[in-house]
Amino acid sequence: MDQPQRPEPILNAPWPALLVAAAVIIPHLLLQGASQEVIYSLALVPREFWEGRWTGAVTMLFVHGGWIHAIMNAAFGLAFGAPVSRVLGLNVRGGGIFCLFYLVCGVIAGVGFAAIHPEGMSPVVGASGAIAGLMGAAARTMDSAPGQLGPMFGPRVISLGLGWLVVNLVLAVTGSLLTMGAGGVAWEAHLIGFAVGVLLIGPFAHWAGRGAQTADPH
């Protein structure tokens, strides 16, 4: 006789997703009381990036504009990181590739923002571009069996992408309390991150040795 299945715990996030949340919250704690000069040195400043200060494209991911900004990114990192980490695998190799995927999404989102605003001098901080990459990758798991990837242009990818576009266009017009820099919300980085996540999760899944579980050739 089959045993009844136990309900999963409410907090059942895989360890790579928990690591994303920790990478948001812990640096924010450590930077409490840091001077504006320190924050500026860690931020992405588009004009300075093109002048050779490239480190900001990475360090910006670990700096947030306030507790609301940090908590929201940590929560979304847990939510969208869970299905992505299960696709890439929960062993050490899969977790390492997950972390690299997260960083690549964030860096490309930041560099894309800098390319759109090459003369910008407002410091940009936050992991929202990387989190958006996880969102795009997670969207590709919604039209497939658990642990697999669905089509790149599946209905869930399109619907979530359109919803994300609308949200960010509203932010572009109205601004938000969750500022990513002195000038407001870096909404372009959010959209770039989503697109990068949709595009790159397939190659990263193949690299992680999970290609056989990908339901789509993209």
Side-chain angles (χ1 to χ4, degrees), residues 9-200:
I10 295 175
L11 295 177
N12 193 34
W15 67 267
L18 291 171
L19 192 60
V20 167
V24 172
I25 297 299
I26 292 176
H28 188 66
L29 277 171
L30 295 176
L31 289 170
Q32 292 298 293
S35 67
Q36 289 298 314
E37 289 76 14
V38 170
I39 299 300
Y40 189 91
S41 71
L42 297 172
L44 171 67
V45 181
R47 184 172 178 178
E48 293 184 1
F49 175 83
W50 298 117
E51 291 174 350
R53 189 165 75 84
W54 300 328
T55 55
V58 175
T59 55
M60 65 171 284
L61 303 177
F62 304 96
V63 184
H64 287 80
W67 274 110
I68 295 177
H69 189 196
I71 290 172
M72 289 288 288
N73 272 348
F76 281 118
L78 282 173
F80 295 115
V84 176
S85 62
R86 292 188 179 105
V87 166
L88 296 177
L90 301 180
N91 54 17
V92 174
R93 175 183 172 85
I97 291 174
F98 173 92
C99 292
L100 184 59
F101 175 77
Y102 173 81
L103 290 173
V104 167
C105 288
V107 168
I108 293 178
V111 172
F113 179 84
I116 294 170
H117 303 280
E119 297 299 319
M121 287 300 296
S122 294
V124 181
V125 298
S128 299
I131 300 298
L134 294 179
M135 182 190 299
R140 288 193 58 187
T141 71
M142 295 178 184
D143 291 313
S144 63
Q148 295 184 356
L149 294 178
M152 187 178 294
F153 298 104
R156 298 292 182 88
V157 176
I158 293 174
S159 61
L160 187 57
L162 288 175
W164 191 231
L165 174 63
V166 170
V167 167
N168 281 281
L169 290 179
V170 170
L171 290 178
V173 173
T174 65
S176 171
L177 293 176
L178 306 182
T179 56
M180 286 186 68
V185 178
W187 60 273
E188 300 97 328
H190 300 174
L191 298 178
I192 294 169
F194 184 91
V196 170
V198 171
L199 292 170
L200 293 189

